[in-house]
Amino acid sequence: MNIIISASPFTEFRRQCEKLLQKTLEKTLPDLAAYKVTLEIPPNPQFGELTSRICFEISKHLSETPIRLAKQIETEANLGKSEFPMIESVEAAGQGYLNFHVNFPELSSLTVKSAKTLDGEYGHVKTESPEKIIVEHTSVNPVHPIHVGSARNSILGDSLARILSARGHKVFRHYYIDDVGRQSSIVAYGYKMLGRPRPSAKPDHFIGAIYAITNCLLEIRRLKALLNRQTGSLNYNNMQKARMDLDDWVAVAVDLQQRFPNIFNSLLDAMEKIEDPESEINALMRRYEMGNKEAVEIIREVTSICLEGFKQTLKRANIFFDSWDWESSFIWSNAVAKCLNSLKRTPYVFHRGDVLEFDAEGVARDLKLKSTFGLKETYEVPSLTLGRSDGTTLYTTRDIAYSIWKFRRAEKVINVIGMEQKLAQLQLKLALCALGYAEEAKRLIHFGYSLVNFPGQKISGRRGRYITLDEVMDEAVLRAYEEVKKRSEDMADEEKRKISEQVGIGAVKYALIETDPLKPVIFTWDRVINFERNSGPYIQYSYARACSILRRASRHVEDADFSLLKEPVERELILMVARFPEVFVEAADNLKPNIIADFANALADKFNTFYAALPVVKAETQELSDARLLLVNAVRITLRNALDLIGIEAPERM
RNA sequence: GGGCCCGUGGCCUAGUCAGGAUAGGGCAUCGGCCUCCUAAGCCGAGGGUCAGGGGUUCAAUUCCCCUCGGGCCCGCCA
């Protein structure tokens, strides 16, 4: 049963070990042959390439120690291993482990040839049950630029989409344009007061300034009015809080005035003449939802300007979407109203004052959904307000209609949204259940991640307090260019620029993807722009070194004697390349892009060790050189394919 | 007050879901390595009561309970 190539070489070894173990069990301990055999990666090469703890398990049922059972199985297994060419030997060890040693020449040959033949597809093992999956990500409100915090969303979402697509799913990348919220009305209002100016900077940066300033001036007015109106109704604590908020916003105003004096002063002048800007904004929001021509024109105009900026940023980051979904379209098509009406017919909607509330707790309790959604039975789900008293809609309500729309196009929906929206996503799922979409709700996945913040301070779009992804990419690319210049003076400037783009952006992407999404990230320039070990550029550099070796060899090798690869580091490299497909499957099926980043980094590490220790082109013999060249090629392909999954480009020189 | 998430050497981080053989990396510190495939590199050294305390187990960083520390949520914001 000699296999020439495999989508997952290490899995072939795993299967053979499983079969051998199963057969041996049937022979030696027939009563326990039904035992499910599982194999794990041992912590150290001396314990082989796969290990089983089955003897610890079965010894519980027999009056025999694990190690004695292991010895018994060892003897029998070694007698029966001849029909399994990938197994070198089986040995009992420690307190009762069964360690399986791989036949390295076999594994090497299979791995190297598989990588070479499958090339761009190596490691991207296809699922047996492909699904249509919508990945909704980024969806930054179109009122300020994409900042480093939202960039974490974009990069995670893009990577998830790449991984699921490589897994063989039909993936659709959707951007949800929130043009209906209050924030859009605020920025449109400010834009209108400025006389609908043409952007004097990058479109989204320009809109971001208008938004932050308008919002800031509104907040200051509101707080001043609150404090003046005073006092009997406000207790001491509320007064204190309002005063502190006001101080905070005044500081923001000072900052914004300094950064954008023209916009700030124009808006300040214009706004002072307005009696009640707050109600004008509310009116704009109301008219927009009703489809009023003027309101639609102004809000769509502002939103489009901002989106134009997003598209520039995302294009540079090599992130693309299949669909841009306008939230307003779900209101204008009456989809939101229909949803609301259906919800009203369930027993889970009640009045509170002027507004309707959705009894999320009631649904969870009656339909016994608490354990389904991982909730404690004693936890009471807060109710959800479905609309404003002026008749306008609220975000989560609109999201119900949008979710149903998404499920008409896909079997699974993954929403990449910050952890802070966990409750809203839960309420959304419960609303879907109430409407009879329980199966859909179970296939709605909230891929949550924690925020990126500054040391001691939060990122805040509303305060204009952020570092844009554009700035971060600019700075990273600039620093990368300095490095490239140092190393490759003779290179054409155009190529230097291209490589700097790839390296700088690779650094940023890696930094935002390598940390477990559940953990908060504190932004520092050195964290996000790192070119040393454990970084995107480090992996890219390793890839470039592999390319360089193959270039220098300047000969084509078809096959080689892989038994010549005897050095421990060579074997570890083979193993990592062989295991890449299993790592990929784990990352894809558990939605864990960061383990791809981890793997790529570990492989780069191992490759650099190999690079420093062993000559390839000038190996002792031509035969050894051939075998190493094929190994380098397999590593090269694996590094590139792993980088591709996290959206990082692989330059052949740097 | 209630709920969710996180806590691993000075700093950052993997491993925890599916408990097992000396807890992997990186930064910083110290000491080495460019007549040889790119030194964005490699080799070596020191540094850990895996927040603390109980429990389950032959075995706990991993599972359960409690405490402490940090983040997030409980809006007619998104």
Side-chain angles (χ1 to χ4, degrees):
Chain A
M1 56 181 287
N2 260 340
I3 337 149
I4 311 296
I5 66 158
S6 165
S8 182
F10 194 74
T11 306
E12 304 299 337
F13 172 57
R14 188 186 286 277
R15 294 276 167 272
Q16 294 193 5
C17 293
E18 278 168 6
K19 278 186 194 155
L20 175 58
L21 185 52
Q22 192 72 54
K23 277 185 104 164
T24 311
L25 270 178
E26 280 165 20
K27 210 176 261 179
T28 51
L29 300 157
D31 296 346
L32 295 167
Y35 239 91
K36 197 164 60 188
V37 304
T38 56
L39 294 159
E40 293 158 43
I41 309 278
N44 187 308
Q46 78 185 83
F47 304 131
E49 286 65 49
L50 276 174
T51 188
S52 172
R53 296 196 316 251
I54 195 163
C55 296
F56 292 93
E57 296 294 322
I58 58 182
S59 77
K60 287 176 185 170
H61 306 280
L62 302 167
S63 53
E64 194 63 280
T65 61
I67 186 64
R68 287 178 65 107
L69 286 166
K71 288 279 183 202
Q72 212 177 323
I73 292 170
E74 175 196 88
T75 310
E76 193 61 42
N78 281 311
L79 289 174
K81 72 170 194 229
S82 58
E83 57 181 296
F84 301 105
M86 296 191 76
I87 303 174
E88 174 67 37
S89 65
V90 183
E91 70 173 3
Q95 299 299 302
Y97 296 93
L98 274 168
N99 296 335
F100 293 79
H101 295 261
V102 74
N103 178 326
F104 263 101
E106 286 288 329
L107 181 69
S108 306
S109 172
L110 181 63
T111 302
V112 163
K113 286 175 186 162
S114 299
K116 188 170 185 232
T117 307
L118 298 172
D119 199 9
E121 278 300 307
Y122 179 69
H124 301 175
V125 185
K126 300 305 173 221
T127 176
E128 285 172 13
S129 46
E131 294 176 298
K132 284 190 217 165
I133 303 176
I134 285 179
V135 177
E136 184 215 312
H137 71 86
T138 305
S139 302
V140 174
N141 290 345
V143 297
H144 55 63
I146 298 175
H147 55 66
V148 275
S150 21
R152 193 179 191 188
N153 183 315
S154 304
I155 290 160
L156 284 168
D158 181 61
S159 177
L160 278 175
R162 286 168 185 269
I163 290 169
L164 292 170
S165 180
R167 186 82 173 101
H169 297 292
K170 180 74 190 151
V171 176
F172 307 94
R173 302 147 197 235
H174 286 233
Y175 189 113
Y176 188 42
I177 306 164
D178 176 25
D179 58 329
V180 181
R182 226 185 98 77
Q183 303 183 33
S184 285
S185 292
I186 291 173
V187 71
Y189 184 75
Y191 176 72
K192 195 171 124 189
M193 279 200 300
L194 288 169
R196 298 160 81 145
R198 289 176 63 86
S200 57
K202 186 163 175 289
D204 50 330
H205 293 212
F206 182 70
I207 294 296
I210 296 176
Y211 171 68
I213 293 165
T214 310
N215 187 58
C216 176
L217 295 175
L218 284 168
E219 283 296 320
I220 288 174
R221 254 177 107 126
R222 183 181 65 82
L223 289 163
K224 277 187 177 167
L226 186 74
L227 288 165
N228 284 337
R229 194 175 347 116
Q230 75 132 273
T231 57
S233 57
L234 279 182
N235 66 34
Y236 181 76
N237 283 341
N238 288 342
M239 288 283 283
Q240 281 299 103
K241 174 142 193 336
R243 282 205 189 93
M244 279 170 63
D245 285 350
L246 183 57
D247 288 348
D248 185 25
W249 280 108
V250 168
V252 170
V254 169
D255 173 55
L256 289 170
Q257 185 168 29
Q258 209 161 34
R259 285 162 59 199
F260 313 101
N262 292 340
I263 303 175
F264 188 96
N265 293 326
S266 303
L267 271 171
L268 186 63
D269 286 350
M271 205 103 109
E272 267 169 358
K273 298 181 189 120
I274 311 285
E275 182 79 25
D276 185 3
E278 199 77 39
S279 33
E280 294 192 14
I281 285 165
N282 289 337
L284 178 60
M285 185 163 59
R286 212 162 45 241
R287 288 203 304 273
Y288 187 59
E289 292 206 15
M290 291 184 311
N292 169 281
K293 188 164 171 281
E294 199 187 333
V296 169
E297 207 176 278
I298 189 90
I299 290 185
R300 283 281 170 135
E301 189 172 313
V302 175
T303 305
S304 300
I305 292 171
C306 199
L307 288 176
E308 180 48 41
F310 289 174
K311 285 177 185 171
Q312 291 171 14
T313 303
L314 292 166
K315 186 179 181 192
R316 189 180 188 193
N318 202 13
I319 295 172
F320 296 95
F321 288 90
D322 301 303
S323 180
W324 297 75
D325 309 333
W326 291 81
E327 194 173 25
S328 48
S329 67
F330 295 93
I331 294 177
W332 300 340
S333 72
N334 282 325
V336 176
K338 282 180 198 158
C339 247
L340 216 48
N341 284 331
S342 306
L343 257 187
K344 278 188 219 163
R345 287 194 289 271
T346 71
Y348 303 111
V349 172
F350 62 93
H351 285 273
R352 177 184 288 162
D354 293 340
V355 298
L356 292 175
E357 290 277 321
F358 168 61
D359 178 16
E361 166 65 17
V363 177
R365 194 184 48 231
D366 295 353
L367 275 50
K368 307 206 182 322
L369 292 166
K370 290 203 177 171
S371 70
T372 309
F373 294 125
L375 307 171
K376 270 188 182 172
E377 288 303 323
T378 52
Y379 173 66
E380 192 167 333
V381 188
S383 69
L384 171 73
T385 306
L386 290 166
R388 295 191 184 91
S389 48
D390 70 355
T392 56
T393 58
L394 287 169
Y395 173 79
T396 307
T397 309
R398 299 188 293 261
D399 210 3
I400 301 168
Y402 181 43
S403 298
I404 292 169
W405 181 87
K406 284 192 279 193
F407 274 110
R408 282 208 296 270
R409 285 158 181 77
E411 289 130 20
K412 189 181 270 179
V413 171
I414 299 173
N415 290 339
V416 182
I417 301 178
M419 285 300 303
E420 72 278 6
Q421 290 197 43
K422 191 163 181 174
L423 174 60
Q425 288 287 307
L426 171 67
Q427 289 166 328
L428 165 64
K429 288 181 200 180
L430 289 169
L432 289 173
C433 291
L435 290 170
Y437 294 98
E439 287 313 306
E440 284 80 356
K442 286 173 198 163
R443 296 195 305 265
L444 176 65
I445 295 160
H446 174 207
F447 184 92
Y449 61 94
S450 290
L451 299 172
V452 179
N453 279 311
F454 299 123
Q457 207 177 214
K458 279 190 177 184
I459 287 178
S460 171
R462 295 173 191 206
R463 289 172 175 77
R465 188 186 288 152
Y466 44 73
I467 293 177
T468 64
L469 177 55
D470 296 315
E471 290 170 77
V472 174
M473 289 194 292
D474 282 345
E475 180 66 23
V477 169
L478 195 74
R479 291 195 203 177
Y481 184 74
E482 292 306 312
E483 291 290 323
V484 175
K485 220 164 58 179
K486 261 192 271 176
R487 286 151 226 278
S488 314
E489 287 175 358
D490 51 330
M491 198 182 271
D493 194 57
E494 196 188 334
E495 195 178 356
K496 280 187 218 164
R497 300 249 168 231
K498 191 181 167 211
I499 292 167
S500 314
E501 261 321 282
Q502 295 178 329
V503 170
I505 290 163
V508 175
K509 286 191 170 187
Y510 184 88
L512 290 175
I513 217 166
E514 60 129 8
T515 301
D516 185 331
L518 294 175
K519 296 190 179 185
V521 166
I522 306 294
F523 175 89
T524 58
W525 286 98
D526 286 346
R527 178 173 182 142
V528 176
I529 306 180
N530 173 23
F531 297 162
E532 296 186 323
R533 281 183 276 189
N534 190 19
S535 75
Y538 175 70
I539 302 164
Q540 291 171 315
Y541 180 65
S542 312
Y543 171 79
R545 281 180 139 184
C547 291
S548 175
I549 291 174
L550 297 170
R551 213 165 34 235
R552 295 271 171 163
S554 62
R555 63 195 155 89
H556 185 77
V557 181
E558 260 315 314
D559 204 349
D561 176 3
F562 295 102
S563 65
L564 297 172
L565 301 176
K566 292 179 192 141
E567 297 290 334
V569 68
E570 292 170 325
R571 297 188 156 195
E572 287 168 51
L573 271 178
I574 288 287
L575 257 183
M576 291 191 80
V577 173
R579 281 173 180 160
F580 173 56
E582 289 193 355
V583 172
F584 166 75
V585 170
E586 198 199 334
D589 295 354
N590 297 301
L591 305 180
K592 285 181 167 179
N594 57 317
I595 75 174
I596 298 287
D598 241 32
F599 172 84
N601 184 58
L603 179 58
D605 259 340
K606 197 60 75 186
F607 180 69
N608 282 319
T609 299
F610 165 84
Y611 184 97
L614 303 169
V616 177
V617 178
K618 292 178 183 166
E620 295 86 78
T621 65
Q622 170 93 21
E623 289 70 30
L624 181 59
S625 179
D626 284 354
R628 284 185 182 159
L629 276 170
L630 287 172
L631 172 59
V632 169
N633 188 42
V635 171
R636 187 198 115 243
I637 288 166
T638 305
L639 283 173
R640 186 199 57 206
N641 292 359
L643 283 175
D644 188 50
L645 294 170
I646 48 178
I648 296 177
E649 292 185 86
E652 294 183 8
R653 298 167 197 263
M654 62 186 274

